Every structure is written in structure tokens, then in C-alpha cells.
Amino acid sequence: GVRRVLFRSAGGLSSGVAYTLQIVGQKYTEPTTATLIMSLESVFAALAGWLILGEVMTAKELTGCILVFAAVILAQIPLPHLSFRQKN
């Protein structure tokens, strides 16, 4: 009925808006930075569920969020001695 159509329309509209904003944001971001930010999408989703919906996170889920976040932070740290460029 009408509820189903409204529900699908709201879902499609919210997904379309979110996807469009994501693409616009990535357009003005360096590819490496955009990749690292997008790898945090699951962490943001879990935290939003916890904060907004009151969902309970298990110790494994919390540990996973911390590990993903730490990996993204560590990926940002430049390590000059691990350069993959060949020396002339």
C-alpha cells in the first residue's frame, strides 16, 4: 500500500542523497585520503547505531572498531625508511 511506497521512496531518497554527497566529497579529496576515510564507514555506522539507536556493542565489535581506527591512523604515518622507490 501507501506505506510501502513511502518507505521505499524514503529509503531510495536517503540512499541517493548520501551516495551523491559521498561522491561530491571524494571529488575534492586525495584518493589515498578518501580511501582511508571510506574504510572507516563501518566504524562510523557501528558508533552511530550505539549513539543514536542505543544498540549494545559486544567486546569483539568494540575491539574491531578500535583495530580498524588504529590501522587507519597508522596508515597515515609516513615511514621514510620503508620507501619502495629504487635508488639510482
Side-chain angles (χ1 to χ4, degrees):
V2 175
R3 286 186 181 177
R4 180 177 281 173
V5 171
L6 289 175
F7 186 71
R8 287 183 181 173
S9 299
L13 182 62
S14 64
S15 296
V17 170
Y19 185 69
T20 302
L21 291 175
Q22 175 183 333
I23 290 175
V24 170
Q26 286 178 346
K27 181 178 179 181
Y28 300 106
T29 308
E30 292 181 24
T32 305
T33 305
T35 301
L36 291 171
I37 291 170
M38 293 310 300
S39 67
L40 287 172
E41 186 174 13
S42 60
V43 174
F44 291 137
L47 292 176
W50 175 64
L51 290 171
I52 297 169
L53 302 176
E55 293 182 3
V56 178
M57 292 181 66
T58 66
K60 284 184 182 180
E61 293 167 340
L62 205 57
T63 302
C65 287
I66 292 168
L67 288 174
V68 170
F69 186 74
V72 169
I73 297 299
L74 289 173
Q76 291 289 327
I77 299 173
L79 300 173
H81 64 282
L82 292 179
S83 178
F84 293 107
R85 294 183 192 174
Q86 293 181 353
K87 296 180 181 179
N88 294 330

